[in-house]
């Protein structure tokens, strides 16, 4: 082991997350803009469950599921849910215009040797339409309020706000990935979103808990600004964050890459993509969005400003117990750490 | 702790074994299910309005997903409604879900046997308390069974459910008055009413109201007090033969007198105009009677309901039998016609009977979520295969297994000796989760779908995080260089515990909010999320911590062996000055 890997392994890292907040804010802003542009320009590719669709039913006892799916996708259908019933096949597709319905009926009839009028069509409404989606949205709003309330009680409102902003950030970016990739949004995907929501918050809470612990020691005579303390805390939990993300993401990555290359696309791909992107963004945002945001909010408090001013006046911030900190306080601004590695 | 956990795991395994339930119940996407198409029936054959269809969809959705974890789907298809329920052979469920559930309370005006008694049947009936409406033989077509209650209804209420205010204690001795009943033509040989005396075993289920065919006479209308009954209705009443047509689907106009049959067809009724309708029901809940231990459905009324209810019970109380009964009519069928023992004020009522938990829940959810605005008949029933196909499930499981393998390899490499703890913790969490999912499938109708499985796999990350947090804390403590491993394990636990609880609380709040506010698959997912969060806490508190404490006593770990994950090199992360120090105190 050497270099970064070794330092990581020994928990010997010192990355100035908070000091680079302009970089992170910029990066996030770009990602958000791209995502929102995708949502506006492309929109989401909503599945049958949300939009309704066409249901074809026919009898083809000899056909297997691959054949049936193949026939439909050759006919130009994108979303195919093939099911066997006790009297034949039932294939649900996206809402098709009349001429395409005829095309599909023709090719199915041809493939399985049926008269065309024995390929029946029904139009089906959304099973996850209006009311279900509305309730999910209401649930989400109440959930956010409940979380803000809880985190305000457990921590403080600034942390609650920062955590929820990071959460929204993750959701928008994940949605943006869907918009640009054109992956289908199904109920399964929606549940993937909800998982991200839980995961992202969980991650932020663990980080904030550490920040709270470290910054609790700050007093009028302390030798660290809030920024430095928070950054310390971040580095402290960095190993945990990376380990947790890796452990959580390995199975998802396996499903996304192995599962979909070996077994083809489908719900699995749609769902695991949401999780994969969401988890990476979630880890990034608790380190690089939530914390800098929290620091920005906290540094406005007079007691932390006082510490910052005092340390600036002394010309240097004293070393913390854990990491050397060089104060960049020449111009009286908040001292920032600027060390990537350690001086040996 | 470890032993308690072992006991829990074994106990859950034992329950699984006793119930022969070893695999989870799967959802629609993984196991397929039953799809039923309901076709609306309008009186004049016209198309139903969009509005009433949408309302019907949402009511059916609420009913079918009352508990929120069964993962059923409801969609409009043209003018029809398509319901998909996971699992094969669920037609019964769908049928119940599709019933209109229009509930009305009507005062009874007249009762007779449901159909002319078949010749030759009477003599055999005579000596014993005859088959009662509760006898199961006739009930196969319906899940709900009318049945006897502890309240004897001496007037021979043919439908066995008793209705009383929540506060009224059934008192067996009240109003035995068998002579009140106009029964002048009853031949002594066919007299089944041997229980009519107050002393006769009132609490036995088959007892006083065992009167399915109380009037075995040639003229069923003999002795019926017809005053106040609309002649047209009376004619209808005479013509009605409950063995052929129970009146289901009959037009049940609340503003007219009504003729209907009891659920098993053993009695027919003339009922007065509806006194209270189902729209006055505020809530309906199922529960267990504290004294008898029976399942029952409790109702509370809203709006004008309480005053109307009090009025009709007062009127009935002051009337002669059989007009002292108030019938509950559900979708045109008399499901219960109890004798009113006293006027019921306060706007509450309860329906008791030999409900099972399932049937009581069903009726409660039907009543609570309201009546369907349309009548439906089912036009097709299909068993459908899974929406995903077996290949997707297999792909997911194989990939998931590979992913888990990677996690295990990673934690062994990174945490070395401590990796054993994380691997075992994950195994314990998996076993607990599997058992919980199987048992919930067995007892609560929980259906595992693909998103749940993925969610469970993700929860591995959260479970793993709990001990990663803990391990890192232990390392922090050790790094400070002044603690023995055994102390570090305890001190780190106090700090890690708080983090774990706060973070898990967030997850749990998320799960609870989504469970109660969302419907369909989201609720089921939230349920799984809450479950895994609880399991995480159980595993960390009852397994990981005690196990680490146990290991800390072991030399291999306490001395910081190179492979223990707590070796000196690992811990020497202080600045140059103290980087050579060992984690332990000298």
């Amino acid at each position: 082991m050497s270099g970064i890997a070794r330092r990581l392994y020994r928990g010997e890292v010192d990355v100035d997350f908070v000091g680079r907040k302009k970089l992170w804010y910029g990066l996030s802003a770009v990602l958000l803009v791209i995502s929102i542009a995708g949502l506006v320009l492309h929109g989401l590719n909503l599945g049958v469950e949300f939009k309704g669709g066409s249901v074809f039913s026919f009898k083809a006892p000899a056909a297997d599921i691959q054949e049936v799916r193949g026939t439909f996708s050759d006919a130009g259908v994108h979303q195919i849910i093939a099911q066997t019933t006790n009297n034949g096949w039932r294939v649900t597709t996206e809402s098709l215009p009349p001429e395409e319905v005829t095309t599909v009926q023709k090719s199915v009839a041809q493939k399985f040797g049926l008269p065309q009028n024995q390929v029946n069509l029904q139009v089906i409404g959304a099973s996850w339409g209006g009311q279900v989606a509305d309730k999910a949205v209401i649930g989400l709003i109440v959930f956010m309020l409940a979380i803000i309330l809880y985190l305000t009680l457990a921590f403080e409102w600034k942390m609650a706000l920062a955590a929820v902003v990071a959460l929204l950030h993750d959701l928008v970016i994940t949605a943006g990935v869907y918009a640009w990739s054109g992956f289908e949004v199904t109920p399964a995907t929606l549940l993937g979103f909800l998982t991200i929501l839980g995961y992202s918050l969980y991650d932020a809470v663990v980080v904030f808990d550490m920040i709270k612990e470290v910054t609790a020691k700050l007093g009028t005579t302390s030798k660290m600004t809030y920024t430095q303390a928070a950054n310390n805390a971040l580095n402290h939990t960095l190993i945990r964050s990376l380990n947790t993300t890796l452990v959580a993401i390995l199975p998802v990555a396996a499903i996304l890459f192995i599962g979909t290359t070996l077994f083809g696309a489908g719900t699995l791909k749609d769902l695991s993509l949401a999780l994969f992107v969401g988890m990476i963004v979630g880890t990034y945002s608790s380190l690089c969005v939530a914390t800098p945001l929290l620091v920005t909010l906290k540094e406005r408090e007079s007691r932390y400003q006082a510490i910052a001013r005092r340390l600036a006046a002394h010309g240097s911030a004293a070393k913390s117990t854990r990491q050397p900190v060089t104060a960049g306080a020449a111009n009286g601004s908040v001292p920032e750490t600027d060390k990537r590695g350690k001086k040996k | 702790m470890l032993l308690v956990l072992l006991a829990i795991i074994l106990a859950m395994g034992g329950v699984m074994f006793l119930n022969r339930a070893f695999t989870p119940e799967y959802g629609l996407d993984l196991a397929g299910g039953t799809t039923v198409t309901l076709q609306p029936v309008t009186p004049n054959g016209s198309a139903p309005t969009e509005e009433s269809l949408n309302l019907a969809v949402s009511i059916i959705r609420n009913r079918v997903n009352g508990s929120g974890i069964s993962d059923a789907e409801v969609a409009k298809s043209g003018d029809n409604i398509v319901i998909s329920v996971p699992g094969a052979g669920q037609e019964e469920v769908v049928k119940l879900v599709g019933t209109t559930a229009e509930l009305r309370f009507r005062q009874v005006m007249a009762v007779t046997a449901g159909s002319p008694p078949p010749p030759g049947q009477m003599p055999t009936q005579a000596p014993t308390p005859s088959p009662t409406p509760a006898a199961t033989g006739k009930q196969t077509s319906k899940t709900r069974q009318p049945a006897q209650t502890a309240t004897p209804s001496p007037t021979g209420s043919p439908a066995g459910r008793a209705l009383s205010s929540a506060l009224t204690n059934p008192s067996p001795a009240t109003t035995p008055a068998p002579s009140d009943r106009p029964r002048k033509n009853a031949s002594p040989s066919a007299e089944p009413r041997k229980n009519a005396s107050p002393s006769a075993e009132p609490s036995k289920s088959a007892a006083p109201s065992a009167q399915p065919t109380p009037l075995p006479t040639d003229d069923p209308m003999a002795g019926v007090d017809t005053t106040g009954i609309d002649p047209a209705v009376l004619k209808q009443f005479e013509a009605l033969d409950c063995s052929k047509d129970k009146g289901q689907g009959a037009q049940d106009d609340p503003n007219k007198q009504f003729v209907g049959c009891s659920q098993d067809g053993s009695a027919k009724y003339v009922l007065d105009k509806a006194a209270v309708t189902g729209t006055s029901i505020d809530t309906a809940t199922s529960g267990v009677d504290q004294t008898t231990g029976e399942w029952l459905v409790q109702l509370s009324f809203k709006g004008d309901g309480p005053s109307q209810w009090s009025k009709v019970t007062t009127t009935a109380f002051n009337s002669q039998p059989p007009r002292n009964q108030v019938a509950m009519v559900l979708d045109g069928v008399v499901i219960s016609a109890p004798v009113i023992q006293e006027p019921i004020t306060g706007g509450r009522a309860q329906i008791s009977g030999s409900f099972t938990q399932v049937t009581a829940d069903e009726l409660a959810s039907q009543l609570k979520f309201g009546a369907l605005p349309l009548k439906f008949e089912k036009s097709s029933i299909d068993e459908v295969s899974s929406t995903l196909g077996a290949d997707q499930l297999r792909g997911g499981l194989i990939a998931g297994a590979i992913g888990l393998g990677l996690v295990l390899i990673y934690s062994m490499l990174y945490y070395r000796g401590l990796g054993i703890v994380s691997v075992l913790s994950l195994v314990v969490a998996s076993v607990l989760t599997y058992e919980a999912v199987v048992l919930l499938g067995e007892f609560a109708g929980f259906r595992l779908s693909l998103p749940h499985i993925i969610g469970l796999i993700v929860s591995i990350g959260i479970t793993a995080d709990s001990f990663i947090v803990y391990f890192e804390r232990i390392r922090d403590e050790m790094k400070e260089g002044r603690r023995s491993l055994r102390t570090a394990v305890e001190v780190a636990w106090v700090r890690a515990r708080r983090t774990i609880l706060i973070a898990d609380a967030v997850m749990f709040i998320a799960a609870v909010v989504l469970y109660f506010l969302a419907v369909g698959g989201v609720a089921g997912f939230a349920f799984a999320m809450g479950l895994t969060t609880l399991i995480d806490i159980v595993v960390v508190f009852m397994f990981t911590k005690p196990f680490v404490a146990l290991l800390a006593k072991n030399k291999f770990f306490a001395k910081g062996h190179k492979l223990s994950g707590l070796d000196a090199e690992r811990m020497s992360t202080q600045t140059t000055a103290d980087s050579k120090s060992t984690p332990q105190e000298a």
Side-chain angles (χ1 to χ4, degrees), chain B residues 250-557:
Chain B
Q251 213 58 33
D252 178 9
D253 186 336
N255 298 318
K256 287 185 185 151
Q257 290 179 350
F258 177 75
V259 172
C261 298
S262 65
Q263 212 166 8
D264 60 350
S266 67
K268 57 179 177 177
Y269 296 84
V270 180
L271 305 171
D272 204 354
K273 291 169 190 168
V276 190
T277 58
T279 49
S280 299
I281 293 174
D282 185 20
T283 58
T285 51
S286 56
V288 178
D289 187 308
Q290 293 300 317
T291 47
T292 62
E294 286 179 317
W295 280 93
L296 45 79
V297 175
Q298 287 164 319
L299 303 175
S300 70
F301 297 107
K302 62 181 178 189
D304 291 341
S307 65
Q308 289 165 338
W309 180 233
S310 145
K311 208 169 106 194
V312 69
T313 51
T314 310
T315 317
F317 176 67
N318 293 324
S319 303
Q320 290 297 307
R323 297 190 179 189
N324 61 351
Q325 303 172 50
V326 172
M328 306 181 51
V329 187
L330 185 67
D331 291 340
V333 176
V334 177
I335 58 169
S336 162
V339 172
I340 300 302
Q341 311 275 7
E342 61 183 72
I344 303 171
T345 53
R348 297 187 65 85
Q350 67 185 38
I351 316 167
S352 58
S354 69
F355 284 116
T356 62
Q357 182 180 1
V358 174
T359 52
D361 285 348
E362 262 164 18
L363 184 60
S365 87
Q366 284 180 340
L367 297 179
K368 180 167 61 186
F369 295 121
L372 292 182
L374 296 163
K375 273 194 198 310
F376 290 95
E377 63 184 32
K378 51 182 196 295
S379 61
S380 75
I381 298 182
D382 260 331
E383 307 257 307
V384 294
S385 69
S386 63
T387 50
L388 279 180
D391 50 343
Q392 288 270 321
L393 175 60
R394 209 175 53 237
L397 290 180
I398 291 175
I402 294 173
L404 272 186
L406 292 174
V407 168
L408 297 187
I409 293 170
Y410 176 78
S411 45
M412 287 309 285
L413 282 179
Y414 188 84
Y415 285 111
R416 314 255 172 113
L418 281 182
I420 295 170
V421 182
S422 63
V423 169
L424 286 178
S425 300
L426 284 177
V427 169
V428 172
S430 310
V431 171
L432 274 177
T433 308
Y434 188 80
E435 288 183 339
V437 166
V438 171
L439 291 180
L440 282 167
E442 181 75 10
F443 295 113
F446 181 69
R447 297 275 181 172
L448 201 59
S449 68
L450 188 72
H452 295 156
I453 292 182
I454 305 274
L456 293 180
I457 291 176
V458 170
S459 75
I460 289 167
I462 306 246
T463 307
D465 182 72
S466 299
F467 41 82
I468 291 175
V469 166
Y470 182 34
F471 292 170
E472 294 297 327
R473 287 285 190 178
I474 294 177
R475 284 169 48 165
D476 284 351
E477 291 299 322
M478 304 279 293
K479 275 176 205 167
E480 290 175 13
R482 51 193 163 75
R483 291 204 166 95
S484 72
L485 178 60
R486 280 163 81 166
T487 328
V489 161
E490 296 304 324
V491 176
W493 171 243
V494 176
R495 297 161 73 184
R497 187 175 58 194
R498 195 183 62 129
T499 312
I500 292 168
L501 284 178
I502 291 182
D504 275 343
V506 170
M507 296 296 281
F508 199 70
I509 291 174
V512 170
V513 169
L514 289 174
Y515 178 77
F516 284 108
L517 287 173
V519 288
V522 178
F525 181 78
F527 190 81
M529 191 155 115
L531 178 73
T532 51
T533 308
L534 288 181
I535 287 177
D536 175 38
I537 291 178
V538 168
V539 170
V540 173
F541 275 72
M542 301 184 74
F543 181 80
T544 311
K545 159 70 180 38
F547 194 63
V548 169
L550 208 64
L551 286 184
K553 292 177 187 160
N554 185 301
K555 248 182 157 176
F556 177 80
F557 289 93

Side-chain angles (χ1 to χ4, degrees), chain A residues 125-276:
Chain A
S127 58
W128 276 66
Q131 196 213 9
V132 181
D134 288 352
K135 279 204 152 184
V137 170
I138 293 172
L140 209 63
I141 293 171
V142 174
F143 161 78
M144 298 253 185
L145 294 177
I147 291 300
I148 290 180
L149 189 69
Y150 174 76
L151 289 183
T152 304
L153 292 177
F155 297 143
E156 56 176 311
W157 72 266
K158 285 174 180 165
M159 286 190 173
L161 185 69
V164 170
V165 168
L167 178 76
L168 291 171
H169 166 271
D170 302 345
L171 286 181
V172 171
I173 291 178
T174 313
V177 170
Y178 272 88
W180 284 108
S181 69
F183 274 22
E184 193 185 336
V185 176
T186 60
T189 321
L190 199 76
L191 299 180
F193 269 59
L194 293 178
T195 311
I196 293 167
L197 194 132
Y199 183 82
S200 167
L201 266 179
Y202 180 96
D203 208 40
V205 166
V206 172
V207 172
F208 281 3
D209 188 55
M210 182 62 90
I211 293 181
K212 188 186 170 196
E213 190 182 311
V214 172
T215 57
K217 296 170 195 151
L218 294 184
T220 46
T221 57
S222 66
K223 295 167 180 161
M224 267 192 291
T225 62
Y226 191 91
T227 308
Q228 289 164 335
N231 203 51
N232 243 350
L234 264 194
N235 279 291
H236 220 83
T237 53
L238 185 61
I239 297 298
R240 186 223 57 101
S241 295
L242 294 180
N243 271 342
T244 302
T245 307
L246 202 60
V247 166
I249 220 164
L250 277 175
V252 174
I255 292 171
L256 179 61
F257 296 114
I258 305 171
T260 55
T261 41
L262 287 186
F263 302 98
T267 312
L268 269 184
K269 181 187 72 177
D270 300 331
L271 183 54
S272 49
L273 178 77
L275 293 176
F276 187 74

